[in-house]
């Protein structure tokens, strides 16, 4: 078990949607958080490990259920609905933040950047599942905890994005001043 603020996070190999919902209860938030409501792009973590991945330094595989009435299909784009690519990238940042907390680090998760992103497919309303695969490259501490990973996004088993050097930080609870 990992202590997160005033809560204990049970370190396990996967987390269902109800487990994630219970873990990130707004009334009793842990130190590490995933976005809630419409901005959470992860419905479940199907695998997390401190080994494995392309670099054998850890990996996280998470999924998101696609429903045709999701909020972004209504506005991006009317008559030509597609999930915004930035939401898939945000899911990689969310997953990396989850991994860092799972690994025992504490702080508030923040996206810190990405090296390169390539889009070669899209998520349409008729899709069923988006899968995110994060390959941990490095985790280090220098004022903040920073994780660097490469990621892939799949829709219904077909790879549609790749991202290199996805950077997520866990900043101290007292603020962003530690980044500078």
């Amino acid at each position: 078990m990992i202590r997160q603020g005033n809560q204990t996070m049970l370190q396990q190999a996967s987390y269902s949607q109800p487990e994630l919902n219970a873990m990130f209860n707004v009334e009793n938030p842990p130190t590490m958080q995933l976005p809630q409501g419409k901005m959470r792009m992860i419905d479940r973590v199907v695998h997390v490990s401190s080994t494995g991945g392309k670099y054998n330094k850890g990996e996280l595989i998470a999924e998101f259920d696609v429903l045709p009435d999701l909020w972004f299909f209504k506005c991006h784009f009317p008559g030509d609905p597609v999930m915004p690519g930035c939401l898939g990238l945000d899911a990689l940042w969310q997953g990396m933040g989850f991994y860092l907390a799972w690994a025992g680090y504490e702080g508030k998760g923040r996206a810190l950047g990405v090296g390169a992103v390539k889009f070669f497919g899209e998520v349409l309303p008729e899709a069923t599942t988006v899968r995110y695969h994060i390959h941990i490259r490095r985790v280090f501490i220098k004022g903040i905890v920073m994780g660097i990973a490469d990621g892939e996004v799949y829709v219904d088993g077909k790879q549609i994005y790749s991202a290199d050097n996805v950077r997520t930080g866990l900043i101290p609870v007292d603020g962003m001043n530690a980044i500078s």
Side-chain angles (χ1 to χ4, degrees):
M1 292 204 272
I2 297 170
R3 189 94 178 130
Q4 288 293 321
N6 61 359
Q7 289 189 14
T8 302
M9 177 179 181
L10 179 62
Q11 190 176 35
Q12 52 196 51
S14 64
Y15 297 83
S16 67
Q17 188 172 37
E19 288 172 317
L20 290 178
N21 291 343
M23 188 181 305
F24 299 103
N25 181 337
V26 177
E27 294 169 9
N28 189 19
T31 303
M32 195 287 298
Q33 296 179 348
L34 280 173
Q36 294 301 295
K38 294 178 180 180
M39 281 306 299
R40 189 165 88 195
M41 300 307 298
I42 294 175
D43 285 330
R44 66 199 148 274
V45 174
V46 296
H47 174 74
V48 59
S49 174
S50 60
T51 60
K54 287 194 291 191
Y55 308 103
N56 200 32
K57 294 183 178 183
E59 68 182 333
L60 179 134
I61 301 170
E63 293 181 339
F64 177 71
D65 295 325
V66 180
L67 304 169
D69 63 347
L70 286 167
W71 67 273
F72 47 78
F73 288 134
K74 296 174 181 117
C75 55
H76 191 264
F77 298 98
D80 184 22
V82 61
M83 180 176 132
C86 61
L87 293 179
L89 179 58
D90 198 71
L92 295 174
W93 283 317
Q94 291 176 27
M96 187 66 198
F98 184 90
Y99 177 87
L100 292 171
W102 175 89
Y105 300 103
E106 290 190 25
K108 298 187 296 186
R110 296 293 187 265
L112 297 179
V114 63
V117 179
K118 295 178 186 166
F119 299 100
F120 35 89
E122 54 192 7
V123 179
L124 302 173
E126 57 270 13
T128 58
T129 306
V130 178
R131 180 175 275 223
Y132 312 104
H133 194 161
I134 299 168
H135 306 271
I136 309 306
R137 293 177 75 109
R138 184 174 169 204
V139 176
F140 63 95
I141 302 171
K142 187 176 180 184
I144 64 168
V145 175
M146 183 190 295
I148 303 173
D150 292 341
E152 299 144 1
V153 179
Y154 298 81
V155 64
D156 296 335
K158 179 183 176 192
Q159 186 178 1
I160 58 166
Y161 314 171
S162 64
D164 298 330
N165 294 311
V166 174
R167 293 180 303 280
T168 301
L170 294 182
I171 63 169
V173 175
D174 62 359
M176 291 287 288
N177 296 335
I179 290 179
S180 38

